[in-house]
């Protein structure tokens, strides 16, 4: 079997390369961890071979292959019985790989070791499906030598997936891998019409186990549950908090907000908020509103997706690791309470559709389509006053096709056209970490273990059942690679008790009050750009007054998984993107705007009623006595509000950046 091939070529690091981190081993302080998220080393050229070798297949009577590992893909070429002129499935892009493991035969006479990778390629109809490839390392006479070769390949592939550097001329051993990253998963039981837990159990948990990530999963069960959890956590024990839900959830109690919104506000409401807010936060979409997940999907270079495909895309990106600075919008309501938004503030048509379509939640994302049709039939206008502090710099654009100029003057409101471009009770949590938690945990098999022994999905299939034939001995996990150095032992199954959550004493934080509203934040950064509500604004602000059909203030690019409201927006551009539509627009023209928004080309329509401005802060004063205001899809008190953008204070788990439109 050929040895390690030293990388000879490296690409120069782009000066505009985005700031990302990885799942690599880092400092335990969240503040120090955030500061340590430096740009990764210059990437290897995509064609530079890192490893090359000959492998057999499983079962042993199958063909033999030549494998070549590069920084972007695993190349597979069949050698025997007959080389393929046009190999099918001969290229496995790393963007489609969730993880890998090493295995051994349960037959004591088999001296071979096995290298298995887990992939999620697209099928003929475009949907992702799970597939595995198992290769037999049998070039040496002893099992120990073959195991070392299989582990070398698995270690190299894991390092590439997690963004960890490979030694240029050193030996590749499992010692290069740090302990598994530790994730806290919060599942919204109402997300995806009640399917969030099923999707999490059937797709998310197997995939993150394949990736070698440790996790603890808790289902949110009551108002402000997610907020209470993060307020009491000892954050140094975690590498990320991931919510499995949609962007928003409207419950009978308006204090029951989406887990993502609760998590961010809970972190910012801690006494140590400056350190806590740097805790990486991720979202896995299992709801009807998946705007942030749509933006993450685009950032990762994947084609637009909905439903399960979007969940699998975002799960693949989560497995790769990598954080990105996230802007957060501080919103002050009429009552003086303050909350932090990661998505949008809406008034008029958008908020009307969002809230009125709640009665169609059983339809999933189709509820917004139906709500839009009904909203067009009963189109309303609202009189109000919008004031904003213009951005001092032009919004950056990833590509010229997405550029959108600001208004030429305070009186030119329309930008120049841009080129196109039922609660299911689960009274338990699932965990593999023996850490103190605010809720008793039911342990699951320890991660990282390869999927064949995963029992969360009704009993994972044995490898022999998937790839073996009659007479082939089944394979079992190689304990040396499946338990990297420093990884925690799997906790034993324990009974689950009911009761209020208990804040771990290690957190050192005060107990949260049970009736604390998610919208009332007493900590967090000060809003130095905002005068008190009701007082005059500084002279450098721009004020618009009139009749509006809608007003939207959005931070990321997406308003929905398939709606690109601000195609030029970035997670950390420091801007709030203001879009408004004045009265006088026809229903047909408004419908064309939203249809074009699916491609992000609505600004190229030249609609005279459509306006845009990039701002650092804004104030909205509704002058119509009745209406609906939403923050991140959640209804808030109606009345004047104002908001200021705080650039890059959060961290979003996005995975590595991709090349839009060039998905493998």
């Amino acid at each position: 079997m050929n040895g390690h091939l030293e990388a000879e070529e490296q690409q120069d690091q782009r000066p505009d390369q985005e700031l990302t981190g990885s799942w690599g081993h880092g400092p335990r302080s969240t503040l120090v961890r955030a500061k340590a998220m430096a740009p990764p080393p210059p990437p290897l050229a995509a064609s530079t071979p890192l490893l090359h070798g000959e492998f057999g297949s499983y079962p042993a009577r199958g063909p033999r292959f030549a494998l070549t590992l590069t920084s972007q893909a695993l190349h597979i070429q069949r050698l025997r019985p007959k080389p393929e002129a046009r190999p099918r499935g001969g290229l496995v892009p790393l963007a489609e790989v969730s993880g890998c493991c090493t295995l051994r035969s349960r037959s004591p006479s088999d001296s071979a070791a096995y290298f298995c990778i887990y992939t999620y390629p697209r099928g003929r109809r475009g949907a992702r499906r799970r597939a595995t490839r198992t290769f037999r390392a049998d070039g040496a006479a002893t099992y120990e030598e073959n195991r070392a070769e299989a582990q070398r390949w698995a270690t190299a592939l894991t390092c590439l997936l997690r963004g960890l550097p490979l030694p240029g001329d050193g030996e590749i051993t499992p010692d290069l891998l740090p302990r598994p990253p530790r994730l806290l998963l919060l599942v919204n039981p109402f997300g995806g019409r009640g399917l969030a837990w099923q999707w999490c159990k059937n797709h998310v948990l197997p995939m993150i186990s394949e990736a070698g990530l440790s996790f603890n999963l808790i289902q949110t069960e009551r108002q402000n549950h997610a907020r209470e959890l993060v307020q009491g956590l000892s954050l140094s024990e975690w590498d990320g908090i991931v919510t499995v839900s949609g962007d928003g959830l409207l419950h009978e109690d308006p204090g029951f907000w989406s887990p993502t919104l609760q998590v961010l506000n809970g972190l910012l409401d801690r006494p140590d908020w400056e350190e806590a807010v740097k805790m990486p936060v991720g979202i896995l979409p299992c709801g009807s509103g998946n705007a942030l997940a749509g933006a993450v999907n685009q950032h990762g270079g994947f084609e637009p997706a909905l439903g399960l495909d979007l969940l699998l895309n975002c799960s693949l990106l989560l497995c790769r690791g990598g954080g990105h600075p996230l802007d957060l919008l501080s919103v002050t309501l009429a009552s003086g309470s303050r909350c932090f938004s990661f998505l949008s503030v809406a008034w008029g048509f958008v908020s009307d559709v969002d809230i009125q379509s709640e009665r169609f939640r059983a339809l999933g994302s189709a509820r917004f389509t139906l709500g839009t049709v009904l909203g067009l039939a009963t189109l309303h206008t609202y009189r109000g006053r919008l004031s904003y502090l213009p951005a001092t710099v032009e919004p950056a654009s990833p590509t010229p096709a997405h550029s959108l100029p600001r208004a030429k003057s305070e009186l030119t409101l329309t930008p120049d056209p841009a080129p196109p471009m039922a609660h299911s009770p689960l009274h338990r949590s699932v965990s593999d970490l023996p850490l103190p938690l605010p809720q008793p945990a039911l342990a699951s098999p320890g991660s990282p273990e390869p999927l064949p022994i995963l029992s969360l999905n009704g009993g994972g299939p044995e490898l022999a059942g998937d790839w073996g034939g009659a007479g082939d001995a089944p394979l079992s996990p190689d304990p040396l690679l499946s338990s990297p150095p420093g990884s925690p032992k799997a906790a034993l199954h324990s009974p689950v008790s009911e009761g209020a959550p208990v804040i771990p004493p290690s957190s050192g934080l005060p107990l949260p009050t049970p009736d604390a509203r998610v919208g009332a934040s007493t900590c967090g950064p000060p809003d130095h750009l905002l005068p008190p509500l009701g007082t005059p604004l500084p002279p450098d602000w721009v004020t618009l007054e009139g009749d509006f059909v809608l007003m939207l203030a959005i931070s990321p690019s997406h308003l929905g998984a398939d709606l690109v409201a601000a195609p030029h927006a970035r997670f950390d551009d420091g801007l709030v993107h203001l879009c408004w539509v004045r009265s006088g627009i026809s229903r047909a023209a408004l419908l064309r705007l939203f249809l074009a928004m699916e491609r992000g080309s609505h600004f190229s329509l030249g609609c005279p009623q459509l306006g845009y401005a990039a701002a650092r802060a804004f104030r909205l004063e509704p002058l119509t006595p009745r209406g609906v205001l939403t923050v991140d899809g959640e209804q808030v008190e109606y009345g004047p509000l104002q908001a200021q953008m705080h650039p890059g204070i959060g961290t979003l788990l996005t995975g590595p950046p991709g090349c839009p439109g060039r998905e493998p």
Side-chain angles (χ1 to χ4, degrees):
M1 210 170 286
N2 294 333
H4 172 63
L5 300 182
E6 181 177 352
E8 297 178 354
E9 300 179 31
Q10 290 186 343
Q11 290 180 340
D12 294 333
Q13 186 173 358
R14 294 177 301 173
D16 60 343
Q17 187 171 10
E18 295 177 327
L19 178 64
T20 62
S22 70
W23 281 136
H25 182 64
R28 297 310 308 143
S29 166
T30 46
L31 182 60
V32 177
R33 183 200 302 115
K35 293 180 179 179
M37 292 180 62
L44 295 167
S47 60
T48 301
L50 304 175
L51 290 177
H52 181 78
E54 181 178 332
F55 286 79
S57 57
Y58 182 78
R61 295 180 300 277
R64 297 193 65 81
F65 300 97
L67 303 186
T68 302
L69 180 64
T70 70
S71 63
Q72 300 296 322
L74 177 66
H75 301 260
I76 305 171
Q77 181 182 7
R78 192 175 71 181
L79 299 177
R80 292 191 296 270
K82 181 181 179 180
E84 295 175 293
R86 296 181 179 179
R88 292 176 296 177
L91 179 68
V92 180
L94 299 193
E96 296 179 348
V97 177
S98 62
C100 62
C101 70
T102 59
L103 305 161
R104 68 174 300 175
S105 173
R106 293 179 185 174
S107 172
S109 62
D110 189 354
S111 63
Y114 296 85
F115 167 51
C116 177
I117 62 172
Y118 305 103
T119 68
Y120 290 80
R122 292 194 176 276
R124 292 182 179 179
R125 297 184 178 180
R128 291 198 183 277
R129 54 179 178 82
R130 180 181 178 271
T132 57
R133 302 294 296 266
T134 304
F135 303 98
R136 175 186 172 97
D138 54 4
T142 65
Y143 169 72
E144 288 71 20
E145 292 176 291
N146 289 326
R147 178 183 61 180
E149 182 67 9
Q151 289 183 342
R152 190 162 66 103
W153 279 76
T155 300
L157 179 56
T158 301
C159 287
L160 292 175
L161 292 176
R162 296 186 184 177
L164 301 173
L166 285 172
D169 53 359
E171 186 177 2
I172 299 177
T173 67
D175 293 335
L176 293 174
L177 299 177
R179 60 134 183 89
R182 299 168 179 170
L183 299 180
L184 177 61
L185 304 182
L186 302 178
V187 179
N188 174 9
F190 294 94
R193 296 167 288 173
L195 294 177
W197 167 245
Q198 293 299 322
W199 281 10
C200 182
K201 179 180 67 172
N202 296 338
H203 303 286
V204 175
L205 298 187
M207 190 181 292
I208 65 176
S209 295
E210 295 163 0
L213 309 181
S214 292
F215 68 90
N216 190 290
L217 182 148
I218 296 178
Q219 178 179 255
T220 55
E221 295 181 338
R222 62 182 179 277
Q223 172 187 349
N224 286 335
H225 191 185
R227 181 171 185 154
E228 295 170 7
L229 289 171
V230 300
Q231 283 182 308
L233 283 179
S234 178
L235 297 180
S236 62
E237 297 172 344
W238 303 95
D239 294 295
I241 302 175
V242 180
T243 62
V244 186
S245 67
D247 292 318
L249 170 67
L250 183 67
H251 192 254
E252 288 79 8
D253 186 337
F256 196 105
W257 285 31
S258 72
T260 309
L261 194 56
Q262 291 185 47
V263 166
L264 289 171
N265 281 275
L267 293 174
L268 282 159
D269 208 24
R270 293 168 55 116
D272 61 343
W273 66 266
E274 290 183 273
E275 178 181 350
V277 74
K278 295 301 181 183
M279 167 62 65
V281 174
I283 184 168
L284 295 179
C286 288
S288 52
N290 299 313
L292 187 60
V296 170
N297 183 73
Q298 176 178 281
H299 177 270
F302 291 125
E303 294 294 328
L306 297 173
L308 183 57
D309 282 344
L310 179 61
L311 174 63
L312 294 178
N313 287 354
C314 292
S315 298
L316 282 171
L317 293 170
L318 176 69
C319 291
R320 299 288 299 274
H324 197 287
L326 178 66
D327 298 339
L328 294 177
L329 186 68
S330 170
V331 183
T332 303
L333 304 176
S335 63
S337 63
R338 187 171 73 141
C339 65
F340 288 87
S341 159
F342 63 86
L343 182 59
S344 66
V345 175
W347 175 54
F349 183 80
V350 172
S351 58
D352 292 347
V353 169
D354 202 357
I355 299 306
Q356 294 174 9
S357 65
E358 283 294 329
R359 61 183 186 271
F360 309 122
R361 180 169 286 276
L363 300 177
S365 59
R367 71 182 178 97
F368 296 114
T369 303
L370 180 56
T372 299
V373 173
L374 296 177
L376 288 171
T378 60
L379 191 60
H380 299 286
T381 59
Y382 301 88
R383 187 159 188 83
R385 183 182 302 116
L386 173 63
S387 305
Y388 62 91
L389 176 63
T392 55
V393 295
E394 295 290 335
S397 172
T399 62
H402 287 166
S403 61
L404 178 64
R406 284 178 46 203
K408 293 182 179 179
S409 71
E410 298 178 6
L411 301 179
T412 305
L413 307 181
T414 305
D416 293 334
M421 75 153 259
H423 184 104
S424 175
L426 175 66
H427 304 294
R428 66 179 188 178
S429 64
V430 179
S431 174
D432 68 345
L433 297 176
L435 300 176
L437 285 172
Q439 177 171 318
L442 177 68
S444 68
S447 177
E449 290 286 358
L451 189 62
I453 66 167
L454 188 67
S455 60
L456 293 173
N457 190 11
E462 290 289 346
L463 280 177
D466 277 350
W467 304 285
D472 288 296
L475 304 180
S476 61
D478 183 339
L480 293 183
L481 188 64
S482 59
S483 298
S487 63
K489 298 294 184 181
L492 299 177
H493 281 71
S494 60
V496 177
S497 60
E498 300 291 337
V502 179
I503 302 300
S506 60
S507 66
L509 296 174
L511 294 174
T513 57
D515 57 348
R517 287 187 57 84
V518 74
S521 179
T522 57
C523 300
D527 295 329
H528 64 283
L529 298 177
L530 297 176
L533 265 174
T535 62
L537 293 168
D540 54 346
W541 284 55
V542 178
T543 298
L544 314 173
E545 184 173 337
D547 294 327
F548 297 89
V549 171
L550 66 87
M551 198 291 295
L552 177 67
I554 190 167
S555 303
S557 56
H558 284 56
L559 181 61
D562 56 349
L563 288 178
V564 188
H568 53 293
R570 299 199 311 264
F571 294 122
D572 62 341
D573 58 14
L575 303 174
V576 55
H577 303 273
L578 301 176
C579 306
W580 61 86
V581 175
R582 287 185 174 272
S583 63
I585 189 172
S586 66
R587 292 177 173 85
L590 185 59
L591 178 60
R592 284 195 296 270
L593 281 180
F594 279 91
L595 292 176
M597 197 179 293
E598 295 181 359
R599 304 179 301 276
S601 60
H602 46 295
F603 289 108
S604 66
L605 298 181
C607 176
Q609 290 83 18
L610 176 62
Y612 168 83
R616 300 170 60 198
F618 72 93
R619 175 184 290 180
L620 176 62
E621 300 169 276
L623 304 179
T624 302
R626 299 181 63 182
V628 175
L629 283 169
T630 59
V631 175
D632 291 1
E634 309 293 346
Q635 188 170 1
V636 297
E637 59 185 285
Y638 189 70
L641 61 78
Q642 59 185 14
Q644 173 183 331
M645 183 61 74
H646 292 276
I649 64 171
T651 303
L652 181 66
L653 291 172
T654 60
C659 299
R662 301 180 65 178
E663 180 181 358

